[in-house]
Amino acid sequence: IKMTTTEEVPVNKNKKYRKPKPWDTDDIDHWKMEEFKVGDMSSHLLEESSFATLFPKYREKYLQQVWPNVVSCLKEFGVHALLDLIEGSMTVKTTRKTWDPYVIVKARDMIKLLARSVPFEQAKRVLQDEMTSDVIKIGNVTSNKERFVKRRQRLVGPNGNTLKALELLTECYIKVQGSTVAALGPYKGIKQVQPLILRFIITIVF
């Protein structure tokens, strides 16, 4: 009787528990955003979620003008919006009529954009499934205020041409305000915006 032994092929420990996925084929678009519709959530939310953000005094008049539109826009998603002029804050909160559990995060991003001088017509686009936003801090690039102002103006460019070029390149809406840059657009574009802006400002030499 001949005894035969089979040598076990060593398996990479990182792939030890990895199993084949026959459903994961090359024709699947992993970046595609599936639309969330009314009725996809079987029941209402059990707990209330809310977010608040402060806004500068100079935004008060504009926010008063557009707030009815903000309330109407968020009402479609079952989200309640509150403007407090005494405290200088905007608040969004879920209700029993909220049909998308993630929309409260989108609503939070929208009021953050409104506080950073982004027009309402642009800010409301963040509620779309394929859109996201980011607020990039650029004030800590340099401690010299005069140098910072020059670098920020260089980012905007003459007649805003540099900013327009960045918007075309990333397919994002970009707003420079104070010591921050607000960006709004598709996920791929937002991923490109932050390193572009920071590299552009940091590498400028005066």
Side-chain angles (χ1 to χ4, degrees):
I1 301 173
K2 292 183 178 181
M3 299 290 291
T4 57
T5 58
T6 57
E7 296 183 359
E8 294 185 359
V9 179
V11 180
N12 189 324
K13 64 179 181 180
N14 295 327
K15 299 181 180 180
K16 185 176 180 181
Y17 300 103
R18 190 171 296 177
K19 297 181 179 180
K21 301 175 182 177
W23 63 86
D24 191 5
T25 57
D26 294 336
D27 60 338
I28 296 177
D29 184 4
H30 295 281
W31 288 97
K32 183 181 179 182
M33 297 293 295
E34 297 294 337
E35 185 181 359
F36 199 89
K37 303 176 182 177
V38 180
D40 287 351
M41 193 166 65
S42 57
S43 63
H44 62 81
L45 298 174
L46 300 178
E47 296 288 340
E48 179 188 282
S49 299
S50 64
F51 292 100
T53 188
L54 300 175
F55 60 86
K57 186 70 176 177
Y58 63 83
R59 290 292 286 170
E60 183 177 309
K61 185 177 180 180
Y62 175 79
L63 290 174
Q64 278 185 290
Q65 293 174 351
V66 302
W67 199 250
N69 296 331
V70 174
V71 173
S72 176
C73 180
L74 292 176
K75 189 176 181 181
E76 297 178 11
F77 297 90
V79 175
H80 179 65
L82 176 65
L83 177 66
D84 191 333
L85 297 177
I86 298 175
E87 293 186 1
S89 66
M90 294 177 283
T91 305
V92 289
K93 58 179 67 177
T94 57
T95 66
R96 292 178 66 88
K97 294 182 180 180
T98 303
W99 51 268
D100 183 351
Y102 190 70
V103 76
I104 187 63
V105 178
K106 294 276 194 177
R108 176 204 64 185
D109 293 344
M110 187 178 82
I111 60 175
K112 280 186 176 181
L113 292 172
L114 288 172
R116 300 314 306 165
S117 299
V118 175
F120 168 70
E121 291 302 322
Q122 289 289 345
K124 71 176 184 179
R125 293 171 55 213
V126 79
L127 297 174
Q128 301 173 17
D129 289 336
E130 66 276 9
M131 290 290 184
T132 188
S133 65
D134 191 15
V135 177
I136 306 160
K137 295 180 180 180
I138 59 173
N140 57 355
V141 171
T142 176
S143 57
N144 187 306
K145 186 176 181 181
E146 184 180 349
R147 185 177 299 171
F148 167 73
V149 172
K150 288 182 179 180
R151 292 188 179 188
R152 184 180 61 185
Q153 185 57 39
R154 183 73 177 271
L155 172 64
V156 176
N159 299 321
N161 289 337
T162 305
L163 209 58
K164 290 176 184 176
L166 285 174
E167 288 180 334
L168 290 172
L169 180 65
T170 60
E171 298 181 352
C172 294
Y173 173 84
I174 304 173
K175 177 72 174 181
V176 179
Q177 181 66 32
S179 60
T180 61
V181 177
L184 165 69
Y187 285 88
K188 186 178 180 181
I190 292 296
K191 190 176 180 181
Q192 297 172 329
V193 166
Q194 185 177 22
L196 277 174
I197 289 176
L198 292 179
R199 190 184 309 165
F200 189 87
I201 289 184
I202 292 172
T203 54
I204 294 175
V205 179
F206 289 97

